[in-house]
Amino acid sequence: MKTTSSSSAVGVWLIGAYGDIATTLMVGTHAITQSLASTNGLITSVAPFTELPLVELSQLRFGGCDIRDTRLVLSAEEVYRRSRTYSREILDAVCPALEHAQSDIATRTDFTWNPQQASSADTGPTLAERVDGMRQLLREFKTRHRLSHVVVVNLASAEPLAQPHASTHSLTGLEQLIQSNAKQHLSPSDCQAYAALAEGCPYLNFTPSRGGELGGLQELALRNRIPFGGNDGKTGETLVKTALAPMFAYRHLQVLSWEGVNLLGNNDGATLSHPENRTAKIANKGNVLHKILGYPVHSGVTINYVPSLGDWKTAWDLIHFSGFLDAPMTMQFTWQGCDSILAAPLVLDMIRLADFALRRGEAGPMRHLACFFKNPIGVEEHSFYRQFQMLLAYAQHHLGKRNTVTE
Ligand SMILES: NC(=O)c1ccc[n+]([C@@H]2O[C@H](COP(=O)([O-])OP(=O)(O)OC[C@H]3O[C@@H](n4cnc5c(N)ncnc54)[C@H](O)[C@@H]3O)[C@@H](O)[C@H]2O)c1
């Protein structure tokens, strides 16, 4: 992999560090750098991205936080035992590296609350104290390892939506809400995004939670000249949906209904089995069709928790459409994939691209990362093919080449 980036290590701060994706991401990075696995699935390992001076995987230094108290090696064992996401050989080989990273993972039970059950009068640490706590962790991590900078990635469980509040649209209003301990209006991901951007860290939100979506956070990112990206990684059913839906549009086939059933067996599936946690995810999965096809489609998305499937998810989609002479036809697809194996390389790609964007002095939403997200901030384009062209155009621009991609 050709990279000629900064010589010092780049920090990666994983929020939800003991989760399946974060664990697989760390296991995978060490497996690749120890030549135990290929770079399959990483788009930054193929042209034209290999020509960009991206940070080497071996230069990434992992740290992070979780609300659970365990150890990285134990979460890696758990992922292996439950789902066989990677081989025993890989796990044994990377265990020393995971042990090495352990001292950079903090358990912080105060980093979570349910905005739907909170009030400003709640006891316990205030929002301002929690934000300060997160900022301090980031500063210590950076200093401890003399990191040039730190990319923060939200890989925490999906969270319930906070009650909207007009003050979140501006930075001043957002900071007032933090100071007044307005837990019902601010979710953990809002405050963690604030802490990251305030510390000058690029921020990526892979979850369906709000992350960097608030106007006040975007103002902060622009003020501090920080790039950010989100929301909700596009790894499975929605990836196929946004690759397939343009075909119906191009051929002027009228989509009548598009029904999707998702069966998830991992912790994410358990979290999403609670209606309050899955509201944003269902909206993200459903909204893409209208935007690609240009007309409203009868579209149902369900997410069912099936524990025995572990990390191996199944999606079944039925597309009912009409063609010439209004003849009705049906297409169905079944997608079976390993959740963390699909997600981890996307996160690694984005970490490398976010680090690159920061070093190039870019700030605000990284629109070129739209192809990685179900609900890309600042982008209305949902066709996977067109989104990928945006990413290629970005790379070509930085390589000083004319965009040679054709439809
Ligand atoms: N796997 C995919 O294909 C995919 C696709 C899109 C989005 N996502 C999202 O990525 C996220 C991570 O997925 P996963 O499968 O690793 O989930 P997971 O449940 O295995 O891991 C989440 C981790 O976050 C921790 N956590 C919860 N709240 C926290 C908080 N406020 N601060 C710090 N840590 C917290 C949990 O203790 C857990 O260890 C989820 O939000 C999921 O919806 C996953």
Side-chain angles (χ1 to χ4, degrees):
M1 199 181 301
K2 179 191 168 191
T3 51
T4 53
S5 67
S6 58
S7 53
S8 62
V10 170
V12 178
W13 186 262
L14 302 171
I15 302 171
Y18 293 134
D20 288 4
I21 299 180
T23 302
T24 306
L25 171 74
M26 288 183 266
V27 168
T29 304
H30 293 301
I32 293 171
T33 54
Q34 292 177 32
S35 303
L36 296 171
S38 75
T39 55
N40 277 353
L42 273 178
I43 65 162
T44 49
S45 71
V46 292
F49 305 103
T50 39
E51 295 171 47
L52 293 172
L54 301 178
V55 60
E56 293 274 10
L57 295 186
S58 57
Q59 280 180 284
L60 300 179
R61 177 98 207 188
F62 294 107
C65 61
D66 203 295
I67 55 170
R68 288 190 290 145
D69 189 12
T70 179
R71 297 186 66 77
L72 271 182
V73 168
L74 295 181
S75 39
E77 283 282 355
E78 172 70 9
V79 172
Y80 170 77
R81 191 184 55 72
R82 208 173 353 103
S83 307
R84 299 290 193 270
T85 301
Y86 30 75
S87 69
R88 184 79 239 175
E89 181 198 7
I90 285 181
L91 178 55
D92 288 344
V94 304
C95 271
L98 298 182
E99 279 295 3
H100 189 60
Q102 185 59 50
S103 56
D104 289 309
I105 312 289
T107 294
R108 292 297 297 257
T109 48
D110 58 325
F111 282 178
T112 188
W113 62 93
N114 182 346
Q116 295 183 5
Q117 291 167 5
S119 93
S120 311
D122 282 353
T123 52
T126 63
L127 284 189
E129 286 165 346
R130 291 172 209 239
V131 166
D132 285 348
M134 167 106 175
R135 292 185 64 171
Q136 195 179 338
L137 284 175
L138 289 172
R139 278 197 297 270
E140 286 168 0
F141 179 52
K142 193 171 171 184
T143 314
R144 194 159 52 245
H145 301 294
R146 295 196 189 84
L147 303 167
S148 57
H149 46 268
V150 177
V151 178
V152 174
V153 191
N154 183 14
L155 291 173
S157 319
E159 62 193 15
L161 294 174
Q163 289 169 34
H165 194 292
S167 295
T168 58
H169 299 327
S170 74
L171 180 56
T172 312
L174 178 66
E175 289 178 335
Q176 279 165 358
L177 285 178
I178 292 174
Q179 291 309 322
S180 61
N181 204 28
K183 284 198 203 111
Q184 65 278 35
H185 297 298
L186 294 176
S187 62
S189 71
D190 299 328
C191 293
Q192 289 163 336
Y194 177 88
L197 296 170
E199 285 301 317
C201 302
Y203 174 80
L204 295 163
N205 179 27
F206 201 74
T207 81
S209 307
R210 214 158 47 176
E213 215 171 79
L214 299 176
L217 291 172
Q218 304 201 16
E219 196 181 324
L220 177 61
L222 289 174
R223 193 194 71 184
N224 286 359
R225 305 291 310 152
I226 308 296
F228 66 90
N231 289 347
D232 205 357
K234 183 155 86 171
T235 58
E237 187 214 15
T238 314
L239 172 67
V240 180
K241 213 178 212 176
T242 58
L244 200 54
M247 178 196 77
F248 290 94
Y250 292 158
R251 281 290 163 96
H252 194 195
L253 298 169
Q254 182 81 11
V255 177
L256 306 169
S257 312
W258 193 314
E259 297 295 309
V261 177
N262 295 267
L263 309 175
L264 294 179
N266 53 15
N267 291 330
D268 189 29
T271 304
L272 294 170
S273 67
H274 300 286
E276 62 182 12
N277 294 330
R278 64 170 178 250
T279 312
K281 179 80 95 183
I282 297 247
N284 291 344
K285 280 174 160 290
N287 288 343
V288 295
L289 286 177
H290 188 165
K291 290 181 178 160
I292 294 175
L293 297 170
Y295 52 89
V297 173
H298 181 275
S299 163
V301 178
T302 58
I303 301 177
N304 296 348
Y305 178 44
V306 185
S308 68
L309 289 178
D311 216 11
W312 296 83
K313 69 178 166 193
T314 296
W316 168 72
D317 278 39
L318 181 143
I319 306 145
H320 192 211
F321 63 98
S322 69
F324 193 49
L325 306 182
D326 297 323
M329 292 172 265
T330 300
M331 177 187 176
Q332 300 178 43
F333 71 79
T334 309
W335 168 268
Q336 289 176 297
C338 181
D339 239 3
S340 306
I341 289 293
L342 291 164
L346 272 62
V347 180
L348 271 179
D349 281 331
M350 287 196 285
I351 289 167
R352 303 181 80 197
L353 290 163
D355 163 70
F356 176 78
L358 182 80
R359 283 189 281 115
R360 293 295 156 127
E362 295 166 13
M366 291 180 279
R367 294 186 176 84
H368 54 282
L369 300 188
C371 65
F372 293 103
F373 293 113
K374 292 188 192 75
N375 181 22
I377 296 175
V379 178
E380 284 301 313
E381 180 58 72
H382 283 271
S383 155
F384 178 70
Y385 179 70
R386 289 179 189 276
Q387 290 176 333
F388 194 68
Q389 283 199 318
M390 289 163 64
L391 184 59
L392 287 174
Y394 173 86
Q396 303 287 10
H397 167 76
H398 281 288
L399 292 168
K401 295 178 185 171
R402 194 172 57 84
N403 184 10
T404 51
V405 184
T406 52
E407 286 201 34

